[in-house]
Amino acid sequence: MSDNIKVKVQNMTKRFGDLLVLDDISFDVKKGEFLCIVGPTGCGKTTFLNCITKLYEPSAGEILIGGEPVNLKKHNIAYIFQEYSTMPWLTVEQNVAFGLEIKGIDKATIKKEVAEVLEIVGLTAYRDYYPVELSTSMVQRVVIARAFATKPELLLMDEPYGQLDVELRFKLEDELIRLWKRTGTTVIFITHNIEEAVYLSENILVLTNKPTTIKKKLENTLPRPRSVVDPAFVKVRNEVTELIKWW
Amino acid sequence: MGRFNDASKAQKSICAALAIAAFILLWFFATNGTNLGVVLAGPVEVFRKFFVSFVQPLGTHTIPGHILWSLSRVMVGFLAGSALGIVLGVTMGWYRIIDAIFRPIYEMIRPIPPIAWIPLAILWFGLGEVTKYFLIFLAAFGNVTMNAYAGVKSVDPVLIGAAKMLGASDRRVFTSIVLPACVPHIFAGLQIALGSAWATVVAAEMVRSSEGVGWVIITGQDTNNSVQILVGIIAVGAIGYLLAILMRGIEAKLCAWSERGK
């Protein structure tokens, strides 16, 4: 296998009883790639991520990370949920440090890394606040900062901006791109928002309705920074929209 | 926002003071203007006796002395019951096997009010202090266990998932997620337990004691002295209220992050 492949999904199938959710899915994600996965609502996008992280055991097939079966203790994978997963009893700073502490990194390094990431997401002034004192978008930035602080080899994001308004979403998307470029992390980003997928991705994986298969893997070569009103952007967006239509 | 809170706080304090004053006035007129005064002492008499008892002993102790006796009994039983309650509740909530073994027994014992144990406790431990500790222990233990258990059960699975994704071991999940997450629940349990323990010490002292606020009340009954009964009752109410405020203060410090701590 090529060294350049970070994630290899082979014939992944997932059934819940008689319900076939994922049907024989295979694809690769290159190292440092930003892959967006789009599909109709309820097509099993989250099930798909949960299989990658072993929260669910796939019914058949396998997932290799760096050529090895997924092992959360060994592979440094970060997962950003739809729900906000900050620890309410920790301050912003302690939340971002949490992942690093679990990995047993020394205090001085943690302090440095946390300060750096907080600066990038613009939360330095809020480092002593508790999540309950922050707005939803700030809380989600804490989660993202926590994920990037651990320098994950693979970052999984499941509609992380689904609950934000458009302006904040744009801001956080730009921030995400900055963090991704800086760290070279491989990102798999799930969304039902086609515009978001076209804005962020290098590649777009379009899924079908249940039982879910891959409809198409689309290369997105639009230059950055991208603009949602650019005709070339609109063209790609329309293309993805056509692919996703199931009616 | 802060100013608004200060204003509404002041408003609350004024309302509280007015309500208490109105209650005392009502008490005053009811006992002075009607036949109720025959069976119930008036507020002037009661408060005078209450404050006089700060220097003049009732029985063997002054009122502060009786309060300290009762408080010391509460503390022993409450601390022991709470400590065991937290351990049992948290481990029952987290470990299935402990839940399976202990919860049926706990659920059977829980609905029994502590005072129902008085006869048995006297048979076991006699009429001394241990009986009182035991009853208060039961009162605290029941409440704290329930809340600690509920606290663990209500830990957000998203947080557990997030910690696991970051590579946390089961042990780490327990110490870094489950324990801090259930602190507000445990505190709610401790508050109820303290109230319940305070109620139980009065009952226990009324059964048999030579000091304590329960003794003040029951001796008032024995000597047909409604002033003394009311002095005891006021002491019980005031200390119960102070304990509740104290617990709220500690909670606000420890749970600054949660809605309850606000």
Side-chain angles (χ1 to χ4, degrees):
Chain A
M1 190 194 298
S2 153
D3 283 346
N4 210 19
I5 303 289
K6 187 77 216 170
V7 184
K8 193 166 188 66
V9 177
Q10 285 173 319
N11 310 103
M12 184 166 69
T13 300
K14 178 67 189 170
R15 278 189 200 85
F16 292 102
D18 288 338
L19 180 69
L20 179 61
V21 180
L22 303 177
D23 186 12
D24 197 23
I25 291 180
S26 300
F27 67 92
D28 295 341
V29 186
K30 286 200 299 290
K31 204 170 186 171
E33 178 175 338
F34 197 125
L35 176 74
C36 280
I37 299 179
V38 294
T41 313
C43 77
K45 295 189 289 282
T46 300
T47 303
F48 184 80
L49 268 200
N50 286 341
C51 283
I52 296 185
T53 59
K54 294 279 187 151
L55 284 177
Y56 298 150
E57 202 59 44
S59 309
E62 67 177 341
I63 300 154
L64 303 175
I65 294 183
E68 291 174 77
V70 186
N71 176 352
L72 294 184
K73 293 257 149 59
K74 189 160 170 234
H75 294 121
N76 188 358
I77 304 174
Y79 191 167
I80 296 175
F81 304 89
Q82 275 168 330
E83 299 87 2
Y84 302 129
S85 62
T86 48
M87 314 306 169
W89 54 88
L90 300 180
T91 61
V92 167
E93 196 169 28
Q94 291 165 335
N95 261 291
V96 177
F98 184 76
L100 295 166
E101 279 164 8
I102 281 179
K103 293 184 195 309
I105 291 161
D106 67 280
K107 285 226 155 69
T109 314
I110 291 180
K111 212 172 163 196
K112 195 177 130 268
E113 302 277 338
V114 169
E116 202 179 305
V117 179
L118 283 180
E119 195 60 49
I120 298 173
V121 297
L123 286 175
T124 306
Y126 298 94
R127 61 179 179 270
D128 293 326
Y129 282 57
Y130 287 106
V132 71
E133 299 168 303
L134 304 177
S135 68
T136 38
S137 78
M138 285 161 100
V139 168
Q140 194 62 323
R141 273 147 84 185
V142 175
V143 177
I144 289 163
R146 184 178 70 196
F148 273 101
T150 63
K151 303 215 162 55
E153 48 186 320
L154 176 61
L155 177 62
L156 304 171
M157 305 181 81
D158 186 1
E159 301 201 22
Y161 307 140
Q163 300 180 45
L164 302 179
D165 67 47
V166 177
E167 192 198 338
L168 285 170
R169 193 159 56 75
F170 282 166
K171 260 175 101 168
L172 290 188
E173 282 168 5
D174 285 337
E175 205 168 272
L176 175 62
I177 292 294
R178 270 206 306 281
L179 281 164
W180 165 66
K181 285 203 158 157
R182 214 177 139 115
T183 54
T185 297
T186 310
V187 182
I188 299 181
F189 188 107
I190 284 189
T191 177
H192 63 256
N193 185 326
I194 296 162
E195 186 181 86
E196 186 173 43
V198 177
Y199 190 77
L200 293 172
S201 67
E202 290 188 302
N203 286 294
I204 301 174
L205 203 63
V206 183
L207 300 181
T208 64
N209 239 330
K210 260 185 235 142
T212 306
T213 55
I214 295 174
K215 190 153 197 177
K216 191 171 181 186
K217 185 170 180 180
L218 208 89
E219 207 178 341
N220 179 2
T221 53
L222 291 171
R224 295 178 200 268
R226 293 172 180 167
S227 158
V228 292
V229 291
D230 176 13
F233 185 98
V234 174
K235 191 166 161 270
V236 178
R237 200 190 68 202
N238 288 341
E239 195 181 338
V240 178
T241 310
E242 275 310 310
L243 283 168
I244 229 168
K245 272 186 183 169
W246 67 91
W247 56 88
Chain B
M1 193 67 184
R3 192 171 299 174
F4 173 76
N5 277 342
D6 285 350
S8 77
K9 236 184 201 168
Q11 225 169 37
K12 255 184 163 171
S13 307
I14 292 168
C15 284
L18 284 177
I20 292 170
F23 174 77
I24 292 173
L25 272 181
L26 189 71
W27 179 12
F28 178 80
F29 287 117
T31 49
N32 275 288
T34 71
N35 284 338
L36 202 62
V38 179
V39 289
L40 184 70
V44 178
E45 229 179 328
V46 170
F47 282 111
R48 185 188 298 134
K49 178 77 180 166
F50 182 77
F51 289 112
V52 165
S53 304
F54 270 71
V55 284
Q56 242 172 46
L58 273 172
T60 48
H61 296 81
T62 57
I63 272 288
H66 286 297
I67 289 171
L68 285 178
W69 260 104
S70 299
L71 273 178
S72 71
R73 287 168 180 150
V74 164
M75 280 309 136
V76 173
F78 172 74
L79 291 178
S82 300
L84 190 70
I86 291 172
V87 171
L88 182 67
V90 168
T91 50
M92 254 179 7
W94 190 241
Y95 298 104
R96 269 192 208 140
I97 179 75
I98 294 179
D99 193 26
I101 295 169
F102 287 101
R103 205 153 68 95
I105 306 169
Y106 169 72
E107 290 291 350
M108 275 198 297
I109 293 175
R110 187 169 69 98
I112 306 169
I115 49 171
W117 293 94
I118 289 178
L120 204 54
I122 291 175
L123 286 182
W124 287 346
F125 307 115
L127 288 165
E129 294 301 304
V130 181
T131 294
K132 299 177 186 73
Y133 296 155
F134 175 70
L135 296 173
I136 295 158
F137 168 89
L138 285 174
F141 170 74
N143 289 307
V144 174
T145 307
M146 192 68 250
N147 274 267
Y149 178 78
V152 174
K153 288 289 172 200
S154 65
V155 175
D156 188 350
V158 169
L159 300 184
I160 293 177
K164 281 193 170 158
M165 281 305 309
L166 288 163
S169 60
D170 282 348
R171 192 203 177 101
R172 189 71 200 250
V173 167
F174 182 70
T175 55
S176 294
I177 306 294
V178 175
L179 286 185
C182 57
V183 167
H185 281 86
I186 290 176
F187 249 92
L190 289 175
Q191 275 168 358
I192 302 166
L194 192 57
S196 176
W198 187 238
T200 306
V201 75
V202 173
E205 286 171 349
M206 284 166 74
V207 172
R208 167 73 191 91
S209 63
S210 340
E211 64 284 297
V213 282
W215 176 88
V216 173
I217 295 172
I218 201 72
T219 319
Q221 181 206 311
D222 292 344
T223 57
N224 217 354
N225 183 348
S226 78
V227 176
Q228 184 171 329
I229 295 176
L230 287 168
V231 165
I233 286 177
I234 287 172
V236 169
I239 299 302
Y241 185 57
L242 289 178
L243 287 176
I245 290 177
L246 182 73
M247 287 298 280
R248 280 289 301 155
I250 298 174
E251 183 182 32
K253 274 250 149 48
L254 282 180
C255 307
W257 53 270
S258 80
E259 293 300 331
R260 276 191 60 86
K262 289 272 149 223

